[in-house]
Amino acid sequence: MENQTERDILAIEKEIDEAIENEDYEKLNTLLDEREKLLPKLTENELREIYERDQHRMKVLEEKMKEFKNIALKTETGKKMVQSYIQTEDKGQEIDRRG
């Protein structure tokens, strides 16, 4: 592998990890597309190393996805509770108006 390509791929790999950590998925997609262009220039060993790092990244992303699901579920539950409270309040006001 050329020295320039090695620096490029290492820089991209570092930025991929940072994008995952910062939850910047648009940047992550851009970096993955950029990295894909360099893959044909890499040796089999280097490709294997990238594959192993990607396996770890997938686990990290799966954990983040679980966190997002939990947050969404809690948000939806909270929303339903608020709506229920509002409906109960509305019924109470309706009873007060009718006396």
Side-chain angles (χ1 to χ4, degrees), residues 5-35:
T5 303
E6 183 177 343
R7 276 197 298 275
D8 290 345
I9 197 72
L10 292 175
I12 291 170
E13 288 288 295
K14 182 179 179 199
E15 288 182 48
I16 287 172
D17 290 333
E18 290 171 358
I20 291 171
E21 185 176 323
N22 296 329
E23 297 177 0
D24 187 349
Y25 301 114
E26 286 183 39
K27 182 176 182 181
L28 176 61
N29 283 331
T30 302
L31 291 166
L32 291 172
D33 289 341
E34 193 177 329
R35 183 183 75 175

mmCIF file of all heavy atoms in Angstrom, residues 5-35:
data_model
loop_
_atom_site.group_PDB
_atom_site.id
_atom_site.type_symbol
_atom_site.label_atom_id
_atom_site.label_comp_id
_atom_site.label_asym_id
_atom_site.label_seq_id
_atom_site.Cartn_x
_atom_site.Cartn_y
_atom_site.Cartn_z
ATOM 1 N N THR A 5 -1.959 6.505 0.792
ATOM 2 C CA THR A 5 -3.193 5.752 0.980
ATOM 3 C C THR A 5 -3.308 5.286 2.421
ATOM 4 O O THR A 5 -4.384 5.333 3.014
ATOM 5 C CB THR A 5 -3.245 4.538 0.022
ATOM 6 O OG1 THR A 5 -3.109 5.013 -1.316
ATOM 7 C CG2 THR A 5 -4.555 3.795 0.164
ATOM 8 N N GLU A 6 -2.193 4.864 3.002
ATOM 9 C CA GLU A 6 -2.184 4.408 4.389
ATOM 10 C C GLU A 6 -2.607 5.540 5.318
ATOM 11 O O GLU A 6 -3.431 5.340 6.207
ATOM 12 C CB GLU A 6 -0.796 3.899 4.774
ATOM 13 C CG GLU A 6 -0.727 3.351 6.188
ATOM 14 C CD GLU A 6 0.634 2.778 6.524
ATOM 15 O OE1 GLU A 6 1.426 2.511 5.596
ATOM 16 O OE2 GLU A 6 0.889 2.603 7.718
ATOM 17 N N ARG A 7 -2.067 6.730 5.105
ATOM 18 C CA ARG A 7 -2.445 7.882 5.938
ATOM 19 C C ARG A 7 -3.912 8.207 5.736
ATOM 20 O O ARG A 7 -4.627 8.491 6.683
ATOM 21 C CB ARG A 7 -1.577 9.095 5.606
ATOM 22 C CG ARG A 7 -0.246 9.087 6.333
ATOM 23 C CD ARG A 7 0.392 10.464 6.321
ATOM 24 N NE ARG A 7 0.685 10.953 4.983
ATOM 25 C CZ ARG A 7 1.792 10.658 4.314
ATOM 26 N NH1 ARG A 7 2.717 9.900 4.851
ATOM 27 N NH2 ARG A 7 2.000 11.125 3.101
ATOM 28 N N ASP A 8 -4.363 8.150 4.482
ATOM 29 C CA ASP A 8 -5.760 8.454 4.187
ATOM 30 C C ASP A 8 -6.695 7.477 4.900
ATOM 31 O O ASP A 8 -7.652 7.897 5.544
ATOM 32 C CB ASP A 8 -6.022 8.391 2.680
ATOM 33 C CG ASP A 8 -5.375 9.532 1.918
ATOM 34 O OD1 ASP A 8 -4.961 10.522 2.555
ATOM 35 O OD2 ASP A 8 -5.282 9.426 0.685
ATOM 36 N N ILE A 9 -6.418 6.198 4.783
ATOM 37 C CA ILE A 9 -7.305 5.205 5.368
ATOM 38 C C ILE A 9 -7.283 5.297 6.892
ATOM 39 O O ILE A 9 -8.318 5.165 7.543
ATOM 40 C CB ILE A 9 -6.992 3.764 4.863
ATOM 41 C CG1 ILE A 9 -8.169 2.829 5.139
ATOM 42 C CG2 ILE A 9 -5.750 3.207 5.482
ATOM 43 C CD1 ILE A 9 -9.354 3.051 4.279
ATOM 44 N N LEU A 10 -6.114 5.554 7.478
ATOM 45 C CA LEU A 10 -6.029 5.700 8.931
ATOM 46 C C LEU A 10 -6.809 6.923 9.405
ATOM 47 O O LEU A 10 -7.487 6.877 10.433
ATOM 48 C CB LEU A 10 -4.572 5.771 9.389
ATOM 49 C CG LEU A 10 -3.760 4.483 9.214
ATOM 50 C CD1 LEU A 10 -2.303 4.719 9.602
ATOM 51 C CD2 LEU A 10 -4.353 3.349 10.024
ATOM 52 N N ALA A 11 -6.720 8.009 8.662
ATOM 53 C CA ALA A 11 -7.462 9.221 9.014
ATOM 54 C C ALA A 11 -8.966 8.973 8.905
ATOM 55 O O ALA A 11 -9.736 9.373 9.783
ATOM 56 C CB ALA A 11 -7.052 10.377 8.109
ATOM 57 N N ILE A 12 -9.373 8.302 7.855
ATOM 58 C CA ILE A 12 -10.792 7.993 7.664
ATOM 59 C C ILE A 12 -11.283 7.070 8.770
ATOM 60 O O ILE A 12 -12.362 7.276 9.331
ATOM 61 C CB ILE A 12 -11.039 7.375 6.267
ATOM 62 C CG1 ILE A 12 -10.822 8.439 5.187
ATOM 63 C CG2 ILE A 12 -12.447 6.794 6.175
ATOM 64 C CD1 ILE A 12 -10.813 7.903 3.777
ATOM 65 N N GLU A 13 -10.497 6.062 9.100
ATOM 66 C CA GLU A 13 -10.875 5.126 10.163
ATOM 67 C C GLU A 13 -11.072 5.875 11.484
ATOM 68 O O GLU A 13 -12.027 5.617 12.209
ATOM 69 C CB GLU A 13 -9.810 4.041 10.329
ATOM 70 C CG GLU A 13 -9.779 3.021 9.201
ATOM 71 C CD GLU A 13 -10.971 2.090 9.255
ATOM 72 O OE1 GLU A 13 -11.098 1.317 10.221
ATOM 73 O OE2 GLU A 13 -11.789 2.148 8.321
ATOM 74 N N LYS A 14 -10.175 6.799 11.782
ATOM 75 C CA LYS A 14 -10.281 7.582 13.014
ATOM 76 C C LYS A 14 -11.548 8.436 12.985
ATOM 77 O O LYS A 14 -12.283 8.514 13.973
ATOM 78 C CB LYS A 14 -9.047 8.463 13.187
ATOM 79 C CG LYS A 14 -9.067 9.264 14.464
ATOM 80 C CD LYS A 14 -7.830 10.114 14.613
ATOM 81 C CE LYS A 14 -7.939 10.913 15.905
ATOM 82 N NZ LYS A 14 -7.059 12.038 15.945
ATOM 83 N N GLU A 15 -11.820 9.059 11.852
ATOM 84 C CA GLU A 15 -13.012 9.902 11.721
ATOM 85 C C GLU A 15 -14.293 9.071 11.803
ATOM 86 O O GLU A 15 -15.304 9.545 12.329
ATOM 87 C CB GLU A 15 -12.970 10.679 10.411
ATOM 88 C CG GLU A 15 -11.941 11.792 10.404
ATOM 89 C CD GLU A 15 -11.948 12.584 9.112
ATOM 90 O OE1 GLU A 15 -13.047 12.981 8.679
ATOM 91 O OE2 GLU A 15 -10.869 12.792 8.539
ATOM 92 N N ILE A 16 -14.249 7.839 11.303
ATOM 93 C CA ILE A 16 -15.409 6.948 11.409
ATOM 94 C C ILE A 16 -15.728 6.688 12.878
ATOM 95 O O ILE A 16 -16.882 6.780 13.305
ATOM 96 C CB ILE A 16 -15.163 5.624 10.641
ATOM 97 C CG1 ILE A 16 -15.237 5.875 9.137
ATOM 98 C CG2 ILE A 16 -16.152 4.541 11.069
ATOM 99 C CD1 ILE A 16 -14.821 4.698 8.277
ATOM 100 N N ASP A 17 -14.707 6.378 13.647
ATOM 101 C CA ASP A 17 -14.910 6.143 15.082
ATOM 102 C C ASP A 17 -15.449 7.390 15.770
ATOM 103 O O ASP A 17 -16.344 7.300 16.622
ATOM 104 C CB ASP A 17 -13.602 5.683 15.740
ATOM 105 C CG ASP A 17 -13.200 4.277 15.317
ATOM 106 O OD1 ASP A 17 -14.090 3.478 14.973
ATOM 107 O OD2 ASP A 17 -11.993 3.984 15.329
ATOM 108 N N GLU A 18 -14.930 8.550 15.410
ATOM 109 C CA GLU A 18 -15.404 9.808 16.010
ATOM 110 C C GLU A 18 -16.857 10.079 15.624
ATOM 111 O O GLU A 18 -17.651 10.524 16.457
ATOM 112 C CB GLU A 18 -14.514 10.970 15.574
ATOM 113 C CG GLU A 18 -13.131 10.931 16.191
ATOM 114 C CD GLU A 18 -12.173 11.947 15.589
ATOM 115 O OE1 GLU A 18 -12.562 12.675 14.643
ATOM 116 O OE2 GLU A 18 -11.030 12.021 16.069
ATOM 117 N N ALA A 19 -17.205 9.810 14.373
ATOM 118 C CA ALA A 19 -18.585 10.035 13.918
ATOM 119 C C ALA A 19 -19.557 9.134 14.680
ATOM 120 O O ALA A 19 -20.643 9.574 15.072
ATOM 121 C CB ALA A 19 -18.695 9.789 12.411
ATOM 122 N N ILE A 20 -19.155 7.893 14.919
ATOM 123 C CA ILE A 20 -20.008 6.975 15.688
ATOM 124 C C ILE A 20 -20.141 7.481 17.119
ATOM 125 O O ILE A 20 -21.244 7.536 17.670
ATOM 126 C CB ILE A 20 -19.447 5.542 15.650
ATOM 127 C CG1 ILE A 20 -19.585 4.955 14.241
ATOM 128 C CG2 ILE A 20 -20.163 4.649 16.668
ATOM 129 C CD1 ILE A 20 -18.883 3.636 14.036
ATOM 130 N N GLU A 21 -19.033 7.866 17.705
ATOM 131 C CA GLU A 21 -19.047 8.352 19.088
ATOM 132 C C GLU A 21 -19.922 9.597 19.224
ATOM 133 O O GLU A 21 -20.660 9.745 20.195
ATOM 134 C CB GLU A 21 -17.622 8.663 19.541
ATOM 135 C CG GLU A 21 -17.525 9.050 21.001
ATOM 136 C CD GLU A 21 -16.085 9.260 21.442
ATOM 137 O OE1 GLU A 21 -15.205 8.515 20.977
ATOM 138 O OE2 GLU A 21 -15.860 10.188 22.235
ATOM 139 N N ASN A 22 -19.851 10.483 18.237
ATOM 140 C CA ASN A 22 -20.610 11.736 18.272
ATOM 141 C C ASN A 22 -22.020 11.585 17.696
ATOM 142 O O ASN A 22 -22.751 12.575 17.603
ATOM 143 C CB ASN A 22 -19.855 12.834 17.512
ATOM 144 C CG ASN A 22 -18.535 13.166 18.153
ATOM 145 O OD1 ASN A 22 -18.377 13.076 19.364
ATOM 146 N ND2 ASN A 22 -17.561 13.543 17.338
ATOM 147 N N GLU A 23 -22.360 10.381 17.279
ATOM 148 C CA GLU A 23 -23.670 10.077 16.694
ATOM 149 C C GLU A 23 -23.961 10.961 15.481
ATOM 150 O O GLU A 23 -25.083 11.391 15.251
ATOM 151 C CB GLU A 23 -24.769 10.193 17.748
ATOM 152 C CG GLU A 23 -24.588 9.192 18.868
ATOM 153 C CD GLU A 23 -25.614 9.310 19.971
ATOM 154 O OE1 GLU A 23 -26.512 10.181 19.893
ATOM 155 O OE2 GLU A 23 -25.525 8.511 20.923
ATOM 156 N N ASP A 24 -22.928 11.208 14.690
ATOM 157 C CA ASP A 24 -23.052 11.996 13.463
ATOM 158 C C ASP A 24 -23.144 11.016 12.294
ATOM 159 O O ASP A 24 -22.152 10.722 11.614
ATOM 160 C CB ASP A 24 -21.844 12.929 13.324
ATOM 161 C CG ASP A 24 -21.981 13.898 12.171
ATOM 162 O OD1 ASP A 24 -22.902 13.728 11.345
ATOM 163 O OD2 ASP A 24 -21.158 14.832 12.088
ATOM 164 N N TYR A 25 -24.345 10.527 12.051
ATOM 165 C CA TYR A 25 -24.526 9.438 11.093
ATOM 166 C C TYR A 25 -24.457 9.896 9.637
ATOM 167 O O TYR A 25 -24.117 9.105 8.766
ATOM 168 C CB TYR A 25 -25.815 8.684 11.405
ATOM 169 C CG TYR A 25 -25.768 8.127 12.812
ATOM 170 C CD1 TYR A 25 -26.616 8.585 13.801
ATOM 171 C CD2 TYR A 25 -24.809 7.189 13.165
ATOM 172 C CE1 TYR A 25 -26.528 8.092 15.107
ATOM 173 C CE2 TYR A 25 -24.717 6.691 14.454
ATOM 174 C CZ TYR A 25 -25.585 7.154 15.421
ATOM 175 O OH TYR A 25 -25.485 6.679 16.696
ATOM 176 N N GLU A 26 -24.744 11.152 9.387
ATOM 177 C CA GLU A 26 -24.574 11.659 8.024
ATOM 178 C C GLU A 26 -23.092 11.658 7.654
ATOM 179 O O GLU A 26 -22.719 11.239 6.561
ATOM 180 C CB GLU A 26 -25.160 13.068 7.897
ATOM 181 C CG GLU A 26 -26.673 13.070 7.877
ATOM 182 C CD GLU A 26 -27.229 14.468 7.679
ATOM 183 O OE1 GLU A 26 -26.656 15.243 6.888
ATOM 184 O OE2 GLU A 26 -28.247 14.762 8.319
ATOM 185 N N LYS A 27 -22.280 12.152 8.583
ATOM 186 C CA LYS A 27 -20.832 12.167 8.340
ATOM 187 C C LYS A 27 -20.316 10.733 8.225
ATOM 188 O O LYS A 27 -19.455 10.442 7.394
ATOM 189 C CB LYS A 27 -20.109 12.899 9.468
ATOM 190 C CG LYS A 27 -18.617 13.002 9.250
ATOM 191 C CD LYS A 27 -17.939 13.810 10.338
ATOM 192 C CE LYS A 27 -16.456 13.926 10.060
ATOM 193 N NZ LYS A 27 -15.765 14.690 11.099
ATOM 194 N N LEU A 28 -20.843 9.845 9.054
ATOM 195 C CA LEU A 28 -20.436 8.438 9.011
ATOM 196 C C LEU A 28 -20.676 7.853 7.623
ATOM 197 O O LEU A 28 -19.795 7.196 7.061
ATOM 198 C CB LEU A 28 -21.195 7.635 10.069
ATOM 199 C CG LEU A 28 -20.953 6.127 10.078
ATOM 200 C CD1 LEU A 28 -19.485 5.802 10.340
ATOM 201 C CD2 LEU A 28 -21.844 5.464 11.110
ATOM 202 N N ASN A 29 -21.842 8.099 7.058
ATOM 203 C CA ASN A 29 -22.139 7.579 5.718
ATOM 204 C C ASN A 29 -21.184 8.136 4.669
ATOM 205 O O ASN A 29 -20.715 7.410 3.795
ATOM 206 C CB ASN A 29 -23.593 7.885 5.336
ATOM 207 C CG ASN A 29 -24.560 6.963 6.021
ATOM 208 O OD1 ASN A 29 -24.235 5.827 6.338
ATOM 209 N ND2 ASN A 29 -25.760 7.447 6.263
ATOM 210 N N THR A 30 -20.882 9.419 4.777
ATOM 211 C CA THR A 30 -19.940 10.048 3.840
ATOM 212 C C THR A 30 -18.561 9.405 3.958
ATOM 213 O O THR A 30 -17.919 9.101 2.942
ATOM 214 C CB THR A 30 -19.843 11.560 4.122
ATOM 215 O OG1 THR A 30 -21.140 12.132 4.008
ATOM 216 C CG2 THR A 30 -18.892 12.233 3.164
ATOM 217 N N LEU A 31 -18.119 9.197 5.198
ATOM 218 C CA LEU A 31 -16.802 8.587 5.425
ATOM 219 C C LEU A 31 -16.757 7.148 4.919
ATOM 220 O O LEU A 31 -15.748 6.719 4.350
ATOM 221 C CB LEU A 31 -16.456 8.631 6.909
ATOM 222 C CG LEU A 31 -16.179 10.017 7.482
ATOM 223 C CD1 LEU A 31 -16.180 9.990 9.001
ATOM 224 C CD2 LEU A 31 -14.857 10.558 6.950
ATOM 225 N N LEU A 32 -17.827 6.415 5.113
ATOM 226 C CA LEU A 32 -17.852 5.032 4.625
ATOM 227 C C LEU A 32 -17.783 4.987 3.099
ATOM 228 O O LEU A 32 -17.103 4.130 2.525
ATOM 229 C CB LEU A 32 -19.107 4.309 5.131
ATOM 230 C CG LEU A 32 -19.129 4.031 6.637
ATOM 231 C CD1 LEU A 32 -20.489 3.488 7.051
ATOM 232 C CD2 LEU A 32 -18.015 3.085 7.046
ATOM 233 N N ASP A 33 -18.458 5.927 2.454
ATOM 234 C CA ASP A 33 -18.378 6.007 0.986
ATOM 235 C C ASP A 33 -16.961 6.350 0.543
ATOM 236 O O ASP A 33 -16.437 5.779 -0.420
ATOM 237 C CB ASP A 33 -19.351 7.061 0.449
ATOM 238 C CG ASP A 33 -20.808 6.632 0.579
ATOM 239 O OD1 ASP A 33 -21.059 5.418 0.740
ATOM 240 O OD2 ASP A 33 -21.686 7.513 0.526
ATOM 241 N N GLU A 34 -16.347 7.275 1.260
ATOM 242 C CA GLU A 34 -14.967 7.684 0.943
ATOM 243 C C GLU A 34 -14.011 6.507 1.140
ATOM 244 O O GLU A 34 -13.128 6.263 0.324
ATOM 245 C CB GLU A 34 -14.586 8.847 1.861
ATOM 246 C CG GLU A 34 -13.337 9.573 1.479
ATOM 247 C CD GLU A 34 -13.074 10.758 2.402
ATOM 248 O OE1 GLU A 34 -14.036 11.364 2.913
ATOM 249 O OE2 GLU A 34 -11.889 11.064 2.608
ATOM 250 N N ARG A 35 -14.198 5.793 2.243
ATOM 251 C CA ARG A 35 -13.327 4.645 2.540
ATOM 252 C C ARG A 35 -13.492 3.556 1.485
ATOM 253 O O ARG A 35 -12.519 2.917 1.078
ATOM 254 C CB ARG A 35 -13.655 4.085 3.923
ATOM 255 C CG ARG A 35 -12.740 2.934 4.318
ATOM 256 C CD ARG A 35 -13.101 2.336 5.628
ATOM 257 N NE ARG A 35 -14.300 1.522 5.511
ATOM 258 C CZ ARG A 35 -14.797 0.787 6.491
ATOM 259 N NH1 ARG A 35 -14.225 0.795 7.677
ATOM 260 N NH2 ARG A 35 -15.868 0.071 6.320
#
